[in-house]
Amino acid sequence: MDTHASTFPLIISVDDHTVEPAGVWQDRLPARYRDTAPHVVRAPLKEMTFLGGRFRPVMGEPGDEGPLGDWWVYGDLRRPLTRLDTAVGVDRDEVRLEVITYEQMRPGSYDVPARLADMDVNHVQSALCFPTFPRFCGQTFTEARDRELALLCVRAYNDWMVEEWCGPQARGRLIPLTLIPLWDPELAAAEVRRNAARGVRAVAFSEIPPHLGLPSVHTDAWDPFLAACDETGTVVAMHIGSSSRMPSTSADAPPAVGSVITFANCCFSMVDWLMSGKFERFPNLRVMYAEGQIGWIPYILERADVVWEENRGWGGVADKVTRPPSELFADHVYGCFFDDAFGLRNLDSIGLGNVLYETDYPHSDSTWPKSREVGEAQMGHLPADVVERIVRGNAIELLELTSDGLWQGPA
């Protein structure tokens, strides 16, 4: 690996992304599902908008005019690959909301050896990757009508993630992140345990489940799932947008508005968890917020403590939240960032042990191939041991990696 003669620690990124190869489900599901399981077709784009936090693509019919792209087809869903899914290697000013094919994306988006090579270029040792087609917590399958097929799809994705994406050719450098059947907490708990038995220590979840038509964390509905995470040391990983609703101010707000305030759902979600009582009921439970940045955290903790201290009686939390929210945060919550100089200047108000580094490869926000340089510029004022904790040490501890920063696979 090329370390560029740098003393900056090798990065463990807790938020990268994989673009699933076309055969993930076709290769793993029974033959009777071949026509209905997720598969890829090449078709023209009829129209596509991304306004008010809503992504709306419309696939054309064969022979229609329009740019050709590769589309995932699953039931009634038609979801194209877009340049925003994989923008690394493209000039920032040339990144557009447009459909693309697999041939038009950087191979590291979907190919393991190519991904490792791109990680080398970026001073990255290991990476945890969120999905693309299933969306950030597998909500694609939650919306499906055929729940039997959806459950098979969740399990097939997890098998691919563990056995192939993070398989032997990854040499421990890719860290598995699995999905659950969000529609059934008991099945979710079983899937957590199934994957924990083969060394998985992170599972994707929605930052605001009610946006998906699911129960909130203030109910007891999720307790079987949370108990499984608590027992197995599985981290609940929530990515911005995992509620299928990006923050926005109006239906006609341009994407730039939402891009500035992407942290907002993480903020709302974190208050939910801190006021839910779940951290006291499940003392080993830990959650992380991918791509949420960290600069907003100090004020929210300050405000949450004030509300808990002064208003918990009428606020409905006195009987379940018995410690200041800031203390619960310190023991249970991790913020993830890739570009947050302000947050790093206020690290004492967040907590050294509660921050993780990421590169967001291959998305348009990614700092690839300069994640090391960005980190050096923003962490230059911090002692070397502090930088080591942020860039890799906290991730090693949280995800139970080897001391060398690698995933060790099944026990």
Side-chain angles (χ1 to χ4, degrees):
M1 178 178 289
D2 179 12
T3 62
H4 303 280
S6 170
T7 58
F8 193 76
L10 286 171
I11 298 165
I12 297 177
S13 174
V14 296
D15 172 30
D16 286 0
H17 299 264
T18 178
V19 177
E20 299 81 18
V24 168
W25 290 276
Q26 292 292 304
D27 294 346
R28 286 168 183 77
L29 295 183
R32 67 181 184 276
Y33 290 116
R34 195 140 303 150
D35 294 335
T36 52
H39 58 281
V40 174
V41 301
R42 186 157 295 179
L45 172 71
K46 188 172 182 179
E47 61 179 294
M48 181 164 58
T49 59
F50 190 11
L51 292 172
R54 298 287 187 175
F55 177 52
R56 294 184 176 89
V58 179
M59 188 173 83
E61 299 294 332
D64 285 351
E65 293 186 1
L68 286 176
D70 284 335
W71 295 70
W72 280 100
V73 176
Y74 172 49
D76 296 332
L77 179 66
R78 305 289 185 269
R79 200 280 193 192
L81 295 176
T82 76
R83 180 53 67 201
L84 299 187
D85 293 325
T86 171
V88 292
V90 178
D91 185 271
R92 291 294 176 98
D93 290 336
E94 298 300 319
V95 175
R96 303 279 188 270
L97 182 60
E98 60 184 355
V99 297
I100 61 171
T101 65
Y102 277 93
E103 290 80 7
Q104 291 172 304
M105 70 176 69
R106 194 170 183 88
S109 302
Y110 57 85
D111 178 77
V112 171
R115 172 61 65 93
L116 298 185
D118 278 355
M119 289 163 63
D120 289 345
V121 168
N122 201 31
H123 200 69
V124 173
Q125 179 187 29
S126 307
L128 180 83
C129 298
F130 284 82
T132 296
F133 169 69
R135 312 216 298 280
F136 295 143
C137 68
Q139 59 264 53
T140 292
F141 303 120
T142 302
E143 296 168 359
R145 296 175 184 174
D146 186 339
R147 288 288 168 79
E148 179 182 359
L149 173 57
L151 180 59
L152 291 174
C153 285
V154 168
R155 291 173 173 166
Y157 177 87
N158 292 340
D159 291 345
W160 170 80
M161 168 61 63
V162 174
E163 297 166 7
E164 292 199 35
W165 183 253
C166 301
Q169 65 176 341
R171 306 195 303 277
R173 297 180 61 190
L174 294 174
I175 306 163
L177 172 70
T178 51
L179 305 177
I180 55 170
L182 289 160
W183 61 90
D184 188 321
E186 293 284 356
L187 289 176
E191 190 63 13
V192 166
R193 292 188 174 96
R194 182 175 83 95
N195 291 306
R198 45 185 181 173
V200 177
R201 292 295 178 266
V203 63
F205 191 63
S206 173
E207 83 267 67
I208 308 179
H211 285 347
L212 302 177
L214 299 170
S216 80
V217 297
H218 300 290
T219 72
D220 294 334
W222 295 108
D223 285 5
F225 163 65
L226 299 180
C229 293
D230 179 80
E231 293 164 11
T232 60
T234 300
V235 182
V236 178
M238 295 172 283
H239 195 285
I240 58 166
S242 55
S243 61
S244 295
R245 188 183 302 179
M246 294 297 289
S248 189
T249 55
S250 64
D252 59 351
V257 172
S259 188
V260 172
I261 58 175
T262 52
F263 72 92
N265 279 355
C266 295
C267 173
F268 300 157
S269 174
M270 189 179 81
V271 176
D272 253 353
W273 281 91
L274 293 175
M275 297 298 186
S276 70
K278 298 303 183 186
F279 293 139
E280 304 198 52
R281 291 189 57 202
F282 302 103
N284 194 42
L285 183 64
R286 292 162 299 168
V287 305
M288 57 169 270
Y289 288 101
E291 208 173 321
Q293 312 300 346
I294 59 174
W296 52 272
I297 292 175
Y299 171 70
I300 295 301
L301 293 179
E302 177 183 284
R303 177 61 182 163
D305 278 358
V306 169
V307 169
W308 178 81
E309 184 66 41
E310 299 182 357
N311 302 325
R312 62 180 178 267
W314 67 262
V317 298
D319 61 339
K320 59 183 179 181
V321 182
T322 62
R323 297 167 57 199
S326 60
E327 291 186 12
L328 296 172
F329 172 89
D331 290 343
H332 299 276
V333 183
Y334 294 78
C336 311
F337 76 99
F338 58 82
D339 183 5
D340 194 339
F342 180 82
L344 289 166
R345 291 196 301 270
N346 293 274
L347 194 59
D348 289 346
S349 298
I350 301 168
L352 172 59
N354 298 87
V355 293
L356 304 165
Y357 199 44
E358 60 180 68
T359 78
D360 197 29
Y361 179 105
H363 285 182
S364 59
D365 264 340
S366 179
T367 51
W368 185 92
K370 298 184 180 298
S371 299
R372 173 179 62 90
E373 290 86 345
V374 171
E376 287 175 329
Q378 295 191 351
M379 300 183 213
H381 65 291
L382 298 172
D385 62 329
V386 171
V387 176
E388 176 81 15
R389 285 279 302 277
I390 294 170
V391 173
R392 58 187 288 110
N394 289 338
I396 288 173
E397 179 179 333
L398 180 66
L399 299 170
E400 297 183 17
L401 306 178
T402 68
S403 59
D404 294 328
L406 301 173
W407 181 58
Q408 51 193 334

